[in-house]
Amino acid sequence: MDPEAVPSPTRWLAAHGVSVPDELLQLERWWASAGRAVSEAVDRMGTPWLRMFDRFGERTDEVLYPPEHRALLVRGYRAGAVWHALEGEGLEATFRIGYVTSFFDPGAYCPYTVSLATALAVYKYAEPAVRERFLPLLLRRDDGVWQGATWMTESAGGSDLGAAVQTTAQPAGDRWRLQGEKFFASNVGAELALVAARRPGAPRTVRGLNLFLVPRWSSDGRLNYRVRRLKDKVGTRSVPTGEVELPDSEAYLLGRPEDGVYHVLEVLNVSRVANAVGSVALAQRALAEAVEFGRCRVAFGRPVLEHPLLRTQFQANLERVRAAFALAWYAVRLLEQVWREVPPYSPRYHTFRLVTHLAKFWTAEVAFQSARWAVDVYGGAGVLAEHGVERLIREALILPIWEGTPHRQVLDGLEVMVQKAAHEALLDELARADSRRAEALRQRIRAHLELPHELREAHADSLFAELASFTGAALSGQG
Ligand SMILES: Cc1cc2nc3c(=O)[nH]c(=O)nc-3n(C[C@H](O)[C@H](O)[C@H](O)COP(=O)(O)OP(=O)(O)OC[C@H]3O[C@@H](n4cnc5c(N)ncnc54)[C@H](O)[C@@H]3O)c2cc1C
C-alpha cells in the first residue's frame, strides 16, 4: 500500500486543482507539529469552561479558553479564515483553511465558519453605520479579532424554524430589542451573533423570521446576552456550544424586513458548504489513519491492507472520498460565484442551492462511513481512546446534524427542484461527463417530481443520494 495514496491535506488539495500558498503549508505544519496535541487535549478535557460571575458577583458569562486553545483558534483567523473572503483572495481561500483545520479537528473549523457567515451577512445587509462599526473587527488579522456566531435553533426544534422560533423583536428607535432563548448556540461567547427572531405581527411561519445582529456587549457596555450553560457533547469539543438567553438584548435588523427568510437561509447555506468541506477533510483523515495503521498491522503473513478484501474496500472508499471532495469543492466554487446576490436570485443561485443541499447531505454521510471503516481497519485498537481513531466517529456524528439534518437537506433540495427546476441546469453540466447516466437520472427525477406531495417526500432520499453520488463522481472524472 502506497502511503502517498492518501497524502497530507495540502497535497490532497493541490492534487485536486486547489492552489496551496505558503501560508497554508505553514498552517498545516503547525497543526501537524503542535496543534494536533492541543486539539487532543481539548477533546479529552471537554469544552472550555463557562465563568458566569466575576469576582464581584456580576454576571460576566465568559467562556474561558486555555491559552494554547485560544492560540489555536486565533491562528486560523490570522491565516485568513474570514478576512480572505473580503480583503484577500476570496471565499475559496477561506475554505482551504477550513479543509486543513478540519483534517485535524472539525470542531475547530466551526468558529471560522460561523464568523465567516456573520461577516458576509454584515457586509451585505447591515446599515452602513453598523457595517462600518462591526465589520472591521471581524476582519482583523491579530489577536483582537472578533468572532461571529449563528443562532437559529430553539428548544422546540431546529428543523421547523418557522414554528419553533419564539424569540421576538421589538423596535426601539434605530435598533431592536430581542427577547427569547436559543437552545444550541455554537461559538457561544462570540462578540457578534446572527439571531433569528420574529417582528410584531409577523406570520408564525418561516416567512415571519428576520435576521438580527446581536453584539455580546450593548452600546452602553452591558452584557447583552447571557449563557445559561455549556453543552456536554460527544464531539466537536473544540467549539463551545451553549444555551443562550436574550433578555431584551440590543440588536440590529439586517436587510429588508420582507426578505428575512432569505437572509436566514443564506447564512445556513454558507455553513453548509463549510460543513461539506470539513466532512471531506475528516473522511480523508480517516483514510489516512487507516492506511497508516493497516500498513503496519500484520495478519496472516502480510499487512492487513494488503489483503484483497481490505484493498478493494480501501479503493472504493478512496474513490468515494474523491467524489465527495469534487462535490464539496463544486459547492465552494458556486458559492464564490453567487454569494453577492440578493433576492430575487439568478438561476445560477438556485443551482448553488441544490448543489449545497447535495453536498451537505452526501459528504456528511461519506465522513461517517469513512470514520467507521477506519475503526474497522484498526480492529479492537479502534475503540481504544489512545489510538484516537474513535474520535473521528464522534466528530462525524455531528456533521450530518448541525446546519440541518439529512432529512432537511433532502426536502429543501426537493423544493428547489420542484420550484426552480434546479436539477435541469445541474444535469446539463453533468451530461458533459456522462450523458447517458445524466439523461437517465433526469427522466427519473422528472417522473418523481410528478408524484403526489406525500409520495414525493416519502421516496426522495434514495433518489437524492443517487443524484449526490453521481454529481460527485461525474465532477471527479469517475462518471
Ligand atoms: C453540536 C451542535 C451544535 C449546534 N449548533 C447550533 C448553532 O450554533 N446554531 C443553531 O441555530 N443550531 C445549532 N445546532 C442545532 C442544529 O441545527 C439542530 O440540531 C438541527 O437543525 C436539528 O434540529 P433538532 O435537533 O431540533 O431536531 P428536530 O427538528 O426536532 O428533528 C428531529 C428529527 O426529525 C426529523 N424531521 C423533522 N422534520 C422532518 C420532516 N418534515 N420530514 C422528515 N424528517 C423530519 C429531523 O431530520 C430529525 O431527524 C447545533 C446542534 C448540535 C448537535
Side-chain angles (χ1 to χ4, degrees):
M1 173 63 56
D2 174 11
E4 278 302 298
V6 191
S8 75
T10 54
R11 289 174 72 164
W12 175 281
L13 287 172
H16 291 85
V18 178
S19 70
V20 174
D22 275 353
E23 299 78 43
L24 200 64
L25 289 170
Q26 280 169 25
L27 183 69
E28 178 180 88
R29 273 198 291 273
W30 178 81
W31 267 105
S33 61
R36 201 170 172 146
V38 178
S39 164
E40 278 165 17
V42 171
D43 179 56
R44 262 179 186 271
M45 287 185 292
T47 50
W49 184 55
L50 174 67
R51 179 158 64 197
M52 293 181 81
F53 298 92
D54 70 11
R55 59 205 161 121
F56 303 109
E58 290 292 317
R59 278 298 283 265
T60 176
D61 294 14
E62 201 180 349
V63 180
L64 297 177
Y65 291 82
E68 297 83 354
H69 188 175
R70 174 76 195 164
L72 175 155
L73 189 63
V74 169
R75 189 164 286 267
Y77 287 113
R78 294 173 82 114
V82 179
W83 63 256
H84 254 307
L86 294 165
E87 296 180 340
E89 291 176 35
L91 277 185
E92 185 171 336
T94 73
F95 291 109
R96 290 188 310 226
I97 293 170
Y99 192 83
V100 170
T101 305
S102 295
F103 181 90
F104 294 101
D105 185 337
Y109 185 26
C110 171
Y112 307 150
T113 300
V114 290
S115 296
L116 175 68
T118 306
L120 297 185
V122 171
Y123 174 83
K124 283 178 75 172
Y125 295 116
E127 290 293 328
V130 176
R131 185 171 61 215
E132 276 158 34
R133 183 164 154 218
F134 293 119
L135 188 60
L137 297 162
L138 291 165
L139 301 179
R140 280 177 70 149
R141 303 172 188 200
D142 58 21
D143 294 359
V145 63
W146 277 29
Q147 297 197 75
T150 60
W151 301 336
M152 319 292 170
T153 308
E154 301 192 2
S155 61
S159 304
D160 185 6
L161 286 178
V165 171
Q166 305 287 331
T167 299
T168 57
Q170 295 289 339
D174 63 345
R175 19 204 110 149
W176 294 74
R177 294 268 164 202
L178 264 49
Q179 287 202 337
E181 295 174 359
K182 295 290 166 182
F183 194 63
F184 274 104
S186 287
N187 211 22
V188 72
E191 286 83 1
L192 292 169
L194 299 175
V195 172
R198 214 181 291 278
R199 288 173 300 130
R204 298 209 59 78
T205 67
V206 74
R207 298 214 164 259
L209 298 180
N210 276 112
L211 194 63
F212 293 86
L213 183 70
V214 178
R216 181 161 135 74
W217 303 99
S218 63
S219 45
D220 60 4
R222 278 188 292 186
L223 192 62
N224 198 35
Y225 68 78
R226 292 201 199 125
V227 185
R228 188 161 48 204
R229 64 177 174 132
L230 297 186
K231 307 276 197 194
D232 186 6
K233 299 179 289 179
V234 297
T236 67
R237 288 176 174 160
S238 306
V239 58
T241 302
E243 290 171 23
V244 160
E245 296 167 351
L246 300 156
D248 222 22
S249 303
E250 187 178 88
Y252 303 88
L253 176 66
L254 296 182
R256 298 191 326 166
E258 59 273 29
D259 288 339
V261 60
Y262 300 111
H263 306 142
V264 171
L265 291 176
E266 281 188 22
V267 167
L268 288 174
N269 283 336
V270 170
S271 299
R272 286 168 180 162
V273 174
N275 200 80
V277 168
S279 295
V280 184
L282 182 139
Q284 195 217 323
R285 165 81 182 272
L287 297 195
E289 297 287 345
V291 167
E292 195 178 318
F293 184 86
R295 282 173 50 239
C296 305
R297 181 72 169 180
V298 174
F300 300 100
R302 44 175 146 158
V304 292
L305 267 189
E306 298 298 339
H307 286 285
L309 181 58
L310 276 196
R311 211 168 46 216
T312 309
Q313 286 183 354
F314 170 75
Q315 204 51 42
N317 273 293
L318 185 60
E319 276 162 25
R320 203 174 43 199
V321 176
R322 283 190 181 136
F325 180 86
L327 178 58
W329 221 262
Y330 187 47
V332 167
R333 290 189 168 149
L334 286 174
L335 178 62
E336 184 97 64
Q337 290 169 21
V338 302
W339 78 266
R340 287 172 200 270
E341 288 192 21
V342 296
Y345 302 113
S346 70
R348 193 70 174 156
Y349 192 93
H350 299 305
T351 307
F352 156 72
R353 274 176 61 201
L354 175 58
V355 169
T356 299
H357 292 306
L358 292 168
K360 163 70 169 70
F361 168 80
W362 188 244
T363 57
E365 176 64 23
V366 168
F368 188 76
Q369 288 179 12
S370 305
R372 225 214 101 195
W373 184 74
V375 169
D376 277 356
V377 171
Y378 270 67
V383 300
L384 303 180
E386 61 200 357
H387 286 275
V389 77
E390 50 74 47
R391 179 181 176 190
L392 299 178
I393 289 201
R394 291 188 284 109
E395 303 284 356
L397 269 180
I398 290 168
L399 296 170
I401 304 293
W402 61 9
E403 321 305 350
T405 60
H407 309 130
R408 203 57 269 143
Q409 306 311 316
V410 173
L411 297 178
D412 287 0
L414 205 54
E415 189 191 88
V416 72
M417 290 197 260
V418 171
Q419 292 188 355
K420 307 290 177 187
H423 54 290
E424 298 288 349
L426 176 62
L427 288 164
D428 288 346
E429 286 189 44
L430 302 180
R432 285 191 222 131
D434 184 342
S435 59
R436 200 184 48 78
R437 209 170 150 206
E439 289 315 315
L441 203 45
R442 194 194 301 274
Q443 295 315 321
R444 280 188 52 213
I445 292 174
R446 283 181 182 169
H448 189 91
L449 298 185
E450 294 295 319
L451 292 171
H453 182 84
E454 289 271 321
L455 269 180
R456 197 162 66 208
E457 280 199 7
H459 302 291
D461 54 354
S462 58
L463 188 63
F464 203 70
E466 195 182 331
L467 180 59
S469 70
F470 172 59
T471 304
L475 292 169
S476 66
Q478 301 170 37

